[in-house]
Amino acid sequence: MARRSTSSSTGRPTGTGPSGPRNRTPQPVRLRRRTFGDVVKAFLAFVVLLVLVVGVPGALAVTVGWPLPRSAPSMDWLSQPIDVQTFLNALTVVVWLAWAQFTACVLVEVKAAVSGVGLPGRVPGAGPSQLLARQLVAALLLVGATAASFTPGLSQLGHSLEDNQKGTVATAQATPGILAQQQEQAKSTAAALAEQAGHAAAQAEQGGSTAAHGATKYYRIQPPEGRHHDSLWEIAQRHLGDGRRYKEIYELNKDRTQPDGSRLSEASLIRPGWIMEMPGDAHGGELVENPDAHVSPEVRQQIGDYAQTGDHAQHQQHQQHQEQGGGQHAGGDGATAQITVPSQRQSGDSGAPAAHETSAHSSSSSSSSFGLSEALLGAPLLAAGLLAALGRRRRQALWQSALGAVGGRRGMEPPIPAGDAQDVQDALLVGADPEGVRQLDRSLRGLAAALTAESRSLPVVYAAWLSHGDLHLQLAQPAGKPPAPWQLGQDQTFWTLSRADADHYEDTDAAAPYPGLVSLGTMDDSRLLLNLEAVPGIVSLSGREADRAAVFASVAAELATNGWSDRMTITLVGFGADLTPLAPNRLRHLDDVEALFETMEAETRQRRGALGAADHHSVLTGRTGPAQHTRWAPNLVLLATQPSAEDAVRLAELAADAARLGIGYLVGSERDDLPGAAWAMEITPDGRLLAPLLGLELQAQLLPAVQQRAVVELFVESDPERDPDGPTTTPPFLVDISEQGRPAVYARLVGPYEIIGLDTPDGDRSPLLHEALALLLLHREGVHPRVLSSALWPRGVTEDVRDALLDRLRGWLGTDPDGSPRLRADAAGRLTLAKSVVSDLDVLRSLYYEATQGKGVESRAVRGRLLTDALVLVRGPLLADRAEGRYRWLTHEIIDAQLPLLVADIGLALSAFHLEKDRAEKAIEALGAALRTAPEDERLWNELLRATHATGDPDRLRALAADLIARSGARGLPPRTEALLDELLPTWRDGAAATG
């Protein structure tokens, strides 16, 4: 579990300051034992309880007696005068009721103390009475064998619950943000750290015999011998004065190894013998600051070992690291920065610990990935960017094929990946979170638009955190109140946008304000995006070469394909030439460091001059406000190899002013002492990304070599320029279109969704079954089970739910006459359909293939019949009546581009068939049918002009030309259409000018 070394869970800074760190090396102190005063307090509490619970009713019974009438009163009773006895009787009833209420409070508190219930029940209307009863019962329990400090003593009687609550909130809001300090402050801080580290070392040499104020305190979970079980709520109630502060104890000890080898994973599950580190203001006799002779050697050893896993131990390592090399990591302007995990939301908190939220893009609770890449499954933003870029590449290939369509190039089918490429494509489909990318992009652009409206500049952002759908921007320094609906976070350096508020943002034409944000990894269920463009100097990455390469590949791939950027340049030095197909317009490859210096020195000079001429302080000035037209695109340099000592110094000088110029540097290093590195990170063999001076320990986002090659293969195979002779046009699945090939199950997908051959399933699962069948029909090559579940349940689902649906789907489809199931799994475990289950899209492809490359090539009559039958199948767009909110996986498909092109190809082929016999009207009819599905296809309109011209009716041709001109609007007609009109209707421009 990643832990911070810069702030404690109580919200108190553990960095240096006037008071020093809160969690220091444990110091010896006498264990507080029960005193004579405790016994006196317990005795007094017993006397008070005896008087209030027993004495009060006894006194009332003796002095007053029964206060109520002994018989039912008549109406005359209401008109009788009120004498002294009546008043005393009424007052006695009030006292009896108060006594009953207080006695109920005592019983509730005693029951909670004996039974082990963490929070006693509330007695209605008994706030002060129950608080008094709680304190008296707690004081009485001081004489118990193991409850010497069960709750705060009588000295706290009268402290209000409101005061405790305010203190808790204040503590929770005290988490530090980014610390931007000048160089002198950084030096003084380092000196203070070194002094404290030396002081701690001296104490260790002396055997730790000196007690220090504020030393770390520990509590050992007590066994349930003669009393109720311990709970974090009660521990917080006893030692922090407020049970609601149990979360602070939980955060301090979460996922730390206990003496029995287990870990604290839920706040409600603790075991006897476990050790809990306590907040610094904890008090009470059961606490241990450092075991002395009163504690057994075994317990002393356990607490000592446990202390080495806490925040204070990491803080000491931080001190030592900064003492040894902190001076080498100053930024170009002498500033230092601290990345802090944002505080968790406090709205909606309840008395019980909340469960962790389910990942939006996780499709199974199982830890097994079924052979898919864990790296891509755990990188939702990277996967979404790659998937979107791959879809754009495939659509581009389709359109380029269509525009240059001649002969066999028509009806192009994109290649079906296999092997590692297929596994990676499935991992992208499962892991991608396109909604998260869309929300991040809209939120950032919405912020930029709001700041522009207020004539404010963009603040410098060092990092962004995505946590449970909320977005937290960590600023370099306070920048005032953010525009609504953004709010200040845990301090002045955090701007926060909740997921609910982000949903209100819509697309805007504002410039992307922070295109240099890139995912580095996750920490405490939060995803960190570092803004490489804003780093005041170089970011260095040390570790093994293969591990560094996986980080660099991930960073390069996400920057090249992310959806929250506009223009940018990613300069890859000494690596990544094979990554260029991911984004040829963004990625630039340089061979070595010398080429880098030659390129970047010139660009640095040019940017400095341009900023000076525009009177801009930084590139951020050109992204909002009056100067928004100057949209400075970042240049992010990724140098994966270790530069020489001379080159490192030269690179540090080049990067000194990089943040202001919109240039970022990520440099690989064999060690963590690269000159000029503002931020130093290390990637470990087990995939953790460490940045001690930033207080970060992330689970790194990686793109290992195998997955990198597979990703590149997907893009290369989809490159429209890869094969100038044209790819194969054979459909992935051909059906028998003869009368003997009648399918057992026939689904109509082109138009409204209908299924022939199966009964409509009953129940709420029917829409899911239909959707699952549609997905399988569109992927005859097979669908990975996790891809299927991710498509049907984008927010995740357990394996048993998914398997239950597959069993229903298998039962619904039934079996073939030979007994084989119609839903089966191939050798790789992917789900496939039997050939007896067919869709109209399969038939459409097969008819066109047979007409143009099969039987229709030899027989004109067969070709005409096949093309006519194919066009009749087209009833509208794909799945025209699908329910809103379902079939979202279609956004990852290219069928929305394939189907119109296929229909257009069929219409063009049938039109040519009719024009061969001068049947212009038949050709116009075929083209009109195709235009209803592919209205934007230029080829259909051009062929319609030729067919209309063939009718010999110039007025009809002029009317069609006028319709085309009106449709084109301000864009004007495409060049090919203009050239064709010049040929067929030379006077069309005169008519267009008159219309204009």
Side-chain angles (χ1 to χ4, degrees):
M1 172 80 184
R3 296 187 62 81
R4 297 199 303 275
S5 60
T6 59
S7 63
S8 72
S9 297
T10 61
R12 290 174 172 77
T14 59
T16 59
S19 61
R22 180 182 63 79
N23 289 335
R24 302 176 184 171
T25 304
Q27 302 299 323
V29 66
R30 291 291 179 182
L31 184 66
R32 183 181 183 273
R33 309 185 67 83
R34 282 173 292 162
T35 64
F36 178 76
D38 294 333
V39 176
V40 172
K41 289 181 181 179
F43 176 75
L44 293 176
F46 173 76
V47 171
V48 172
L49 284 173
L50 187 63
V51 169
L52 294 177
V53 175
V54 180
V56 169
L60 290 174
V62 172
T63 59
V64 180
W66 183 254
L68 299 177
R70 299 185 182 276
S71 61
S74 63
M75 295 299 295
D76 296 337
W77 178 76
L78 297 176
S79 60
Q80 293 179 358
I82 299 177
D83 55 11
V84 175
Q85 186 60 39
T86 303
F87 178 78
L88 290 177
N89 288 340
L91 184 61
T92 302
V93 171
V94 173
V95 176
W96 273 108
L97 292 176
W99 170 84
Q101 184 189 59
F102 179 79
T103 303
C105 294
V106 172
L107 294 176
V108 167
E109 295 297 329
V110 171
K111 179 181 180 296
V114 174
S115 65
V117 177
L119 179 63
R122 294 181 59 87
V123 178
S129 297
Q130 188 164 6
L131 181 60
L132 175 61
R134 182 176 305 167
Q135 299 296 337
L136 292 173
V137 171
L140 182 60
L141 288 178
L142 286 172
V143 299
T146 58
S149 59
F150 181 71
T151 57
L154 288 173
S155 61
Q156 293 188 352
L157 183 60
H159 288 192
S160 67
L161 297 176
E162 290 76 7
D163 292 339
N164 290 335
Q165 184 177 6
K166 292 177 181 178
T168 304
V169 174
T171 301
Q173 293 177 345
T175 307
I178 298 176
L179 304 178
Q181 302 173 335
Q182 299 300 322
Q183 187 172 10
E184 294 182 359
Q185 293 174 324
K187 290 181 179 180
S188 62
T189 301
L193 286 171
E195 180 181 354
Q196 292 175 357
H199 181 64
Q203 289 180 340
E205 292 177 358
Q206 297 171 6
S209 59
T210 304
H213 176 68
T216 306
K217 302 172 184 178
Y218 299 91
Y219 174 82
R220 196 164 186 264
I221 305 299
Q222 301 296 324
E225 298 178 0
R227 64 190 292 269
H228 62 279
H229 293 267
D230 244 334
S231 71
L232 291 187
W233 182 284
E234 291 177 322
I235 296 171
Q237 183 70 32
R238 295 197 302 270
H239 301 296
L240 300 177
D242 190 347
R244 288 166 294 188
R245 293 182 63 185
Y246 77 92
K247 296 180 182 180
E248 299 178 34
I249 306 175
Y250 173 70
E251 290 296 332
L252 279 173
N253 298 276
K254 183 173 59 175
D255 287 339
R256 292 170 64 178
T257 303
Q258 294 290 337
D260 62 358
S262 55
R263 297 172 184 266
L264 174 65
S265 59
E266 295 184 24
S268 59
L269 299 179
I270 59 176
R271 302 176 186 174
W274 279 11
I275 298 167
M276 295 288 115
E277 181 181 345
M278 300 293 289
D281 61 342
H283 56 272
E286 294 174 333
L287 300 180
V288 177
E289 294 185 0
N290 196 27
D292 57 5
H294 297 289
V295 180
S296 67
E298 179 184 2
V299 174
R300 185 184 307 124
Q301 180 64 38
Q302 289 176 356
I303 294 180
D305 294 340
Y306 188 78
Q308 300 305 313
T309 66
D311 282 348
H312 68 282
Q314 295 188 11
H315 184 72
Q316 289 181 354
Q317 297 175 3
H318 178 192
Q319 288 178 338
Q320 296 172 2
H321 188 97
Q322 186 150 346
E323 184 181 15
Q324 296 172 359
Q328 298 176 355
H329 300 281
D333 58 356
T336 60
Q338 182 69 48
I339 302 299
T340 305
V341 181
S343 296
Q344 295 296 324
R345 290 171 294 174
Q346 306 209 3
S347 60
D349 285 350
S350 61
H356 291 296
E357 294 183 26
T358 304
S359 173
H361 55 276
S362 173
S363 60
S364 175
S365 62
S366 172
S367 60
S368 171
S369 60
F370 294 94
L372 301 185
S373 168
E374 291 287 356
L376 292 173
L377 291 177
L381 303 184
L382 170 61
L386 288 171
L387 201 59
L390 183 61
R392 290 192 297 269
R393 178 63 55 84
R394 288 174 172 171
R395 286 178 172 82
Q396 180 184 8
L398 283 174
W399 282 107
Q400 289 192 15
S401 171
L403 292 176
V406 287
R409 284 185 66 91
R410 292 184 177 179
M412 170 200 176
E413 295 290 341
I416 297 176
D420 290 339
Q422 188 175 19
D423 289 338
V424 161
Q425 178 173 278
D426 288 341
L428 293 177
L429 289 168
V430 175
D433 183 15
E435 186 58 36
V437 172
R438 190 177 303 111
Q439 176 183 324
L440 176 62
D441 181 47
R442 287 179 173 177
S443 300
L444 294 177
R445 293 180 192 269
L447 174 63
L451 290 172
T452 299
E454 297 179 5
S455 299
R456 296 171 60 185
S457 298
L458 286 168
V460 177
V461 169
Y462 279 152
W465 292 92
L466 289 173
S467 179
H468 302 287
D470 296 345
L471 175 60
H472 309 265
L473 296 183
Q474 193 162 357
L475 314 184
Q477 57 188 5
K481 184 179 180 180
W486 291 78
Q487 298 178 351
L488 285 175
Q490 60 202 56
D491 60 30
Q492 296 290 324
T493 61
F494 271 97
W495 284 7
T496 300
L497 181 69
S498 69
R499 183 171 187 170
D501 290 333
D503 291 339
H504 298 304
Y505 273 123
E506 297 180 354
D507 293 331
T508 177
D509 60 352
Y514 304 111
L517 287 170
V518 64
S519 303
L520 291 185
T522 56
M523 178 180 182
D524 292 341
D525 298 326
S526 298
R527 183 169 303 277
L528 170 66
L529 289 84
L530 185 66
N531 189 5
L532 287 178
E533 183 188 21
V535 177
I538 296 172
V539 178
S540 69
L541 178 66
S542 60
R544 298 188 311 181
E545 184 176 358
D547 300 325
R548 296 201 315 263
V551 175
F552 273 91
S554 171
V555 170
E558 185 170 298
L559 288 173
T561 61
N562 72 49
W564 55 88
S565 303
D566 295 327
R567 297 175 299 112
M568 72 160 54
T569 301
I570 302 107
T571 302
L572 310 180
V573 185
F575 85 105
D578 56 333
L579 293 174
T580 305
L582 271 60
N585 295 329
R586 284 193 180 185
L587 291 171
R588 173 176 62 180
H589 179 262
L590 300 178
D591 293 330
D592 51 31
V593 178
E594 283 303 319
L596 172 66
F597 286 137
E598 180 180 353
T599 301
M600 295 310 300
E601 285 175 352
E603 181 166 345
T604 299
R605 288 194 301 269
Q606 187 272 334
R607 290 199 175 212
R608 283 175 179 162
L611 281 176
D615 195 24
H616 292 170
H617 173 69
S618 74
V619 296
L620 293 179
T621 312
R623 293 180 187 161
T624 57
Q628 189 178 175
H629 62 279
T630 310
R631 298 185 176 182
W632 302 89
N635 188 343
L636 305 176
V637 178
L638 309 182
L639 173 60
T641 57
Q642 167 82 37
S644 65
E646 295 79 6
D647 289 339
V649 173
R650 188 177 175 186
L651 189 63
E653 295 175 352
L654 188 63
D657 201 22
R660 188 176 69 90
L661 304 176
I663 302 174
Y665 291 89
L666 177 62
V667 180
S669 175
E670 297 175 359
R671 300 183 302 174
D672 61 355
D673 58 352
L674 185 71
W679 295 343
M681 300 185 297
E682 176 190 0
I683 179 66
T684 64
D686 60 351
R688 291 180 301 128
L689 192 66
L690 309 179
L693 296 183
L694 299 178
L696 294 179
E697 182 176 340
L698 306 172
Q699 187 62 41
Q701 179 171 296
L702 307 172
L703 186 58
V706 174
Q707 284 74 39
Q708 177 185 335
R709 288 192 295 269
V711 167
V712 172
E713 180 182 342
L714 289 174
F715 280 80
V716 170
E717 290 292 332
S718 302
D719 189 350
E721 304 296 334
R722 178 171 177 266
D723 186 0
D725 295 330
T728 177
T729 61
T730 304
F733 178 69
L734 290 172
V735 300
D736 184 358
I737 57 176
S738 66
E739 188 64 27
Q740 292 75 22
R742 184 180 298 275
V745 178
Y746 182 66
R748 305 179 73 180
L749 304 179
V750 184
Y753 191 2
E754 299 177 15
I755 298 178
I756 301 172
L758 293 176
D759 294 331
T760 301
D762 298 329
D764 297 335
R765 294 292 181 181
S766 179
L768 279 174
L769 292 173
H770 280 75
E771 187 173 355
L773 179 57
L775 178 63
L776 291 168
L777 286 167
L778 292 177
H779 291 275
R780 304 301 307 220
E781 72 278 9
V783 177
H784 196 288
R786 291 200 66 178
V787 173
L788 179 69
S789 59
S790 176
L792 299 180
W793 295 280
R795 292 189 176 275
V797 72
T798 57
E799 277 190 4
D800 56 343
V801 174
R802 180 197 65 198
D803 293 342
L805 179 75
L806 291 179
D807 289 339
R808 292 188 183 94
L809 180 60
R810 192 175 289 108
W812 182 41
L813 292 175
T815 59
D816 284 333
D818 60 359
S820 59
R822 291 174 181 149
L823 176 63
R824 58 194 69 171
D826 61 14
R830 287 178 170 82
L831 302 169
T832 60
L833 293 172
K835 292 184 177 181
S836 59
V837 182
V838 173
S839 73
D840 55 355
L841 187 59
D842 298 326
V843 177
L844 191 66
R845 287 167 168 163
S846 299
L847 287 171
Y848 177 67
Y849 176 78
E850 286 293 335
T852 56
Q853 300 182 55
K855 300 175 183 178
V857 176
E858 303 295 334
S859 171
R860 169 182 167 78
V862 171
R863 182 169 72 254
R865 176 175 56 82
L866 293 174
L867 290 173
T868 302
D869 290 346
L871 204 55
V872 169
L873 289 177
V874 180
R875 300 175 300 125
L878 188 75
L879 299 168
D881 59 350
R882 61 180 179 266
E884 184 178 357
R886 302 219 62 89
Y887 298 87
R888 292 183 178 179
W889 47 270
L890 282 173
T891 58
H892 300 315
E893 308 282 342
I894 62 168
I895 186 63
D896 60 335
Q898 283 180 293
L899 181 59
L901 289 176
L902 176 60
V903 174
D905 284 344
I906 294 172
L908 291 170
L910 188 56
S911 172
F913 171 82
H914 288 304
L915 288 177
E916 288 176 2
K917 295 297 184 179
D918 295 327
R919 295 196 291 263
E921 293 296 338
K922 287 288 186 181
I924 292 173
E925 181 181 349
L927 293 169
L931 279 169
R932 284 193 289 271
T933 299
E936 303 298 328
D937 198 308
E938 179 188 356
R939 300 171 301 157
L940 290 175
W941 289 106
N942 291 348
E943 196 63 23
L944 185 59
L945 286 171
R946 292 189 179 94
T948 304
H949 180 264
T951 62
D953 187 347
D955 293 336
R956 189 174 179 181
L957 182 60
R958 278 191 290 270
L960 178 59
D963 184 30
L964 274 176
I965 294 170
R967 286 174 177 270
S968 64
R971 297 174 300 173
L973 293 173
R976 292 188 183 186
T977 304
E978 286 190 354
L980 181 60
L981 279 174
D982 287 337
E983 176 187 347
L984 302 179
L985 189 63
T987 60
W988 74 275
R989 295 183 186 274
D990 298 335
T995 303

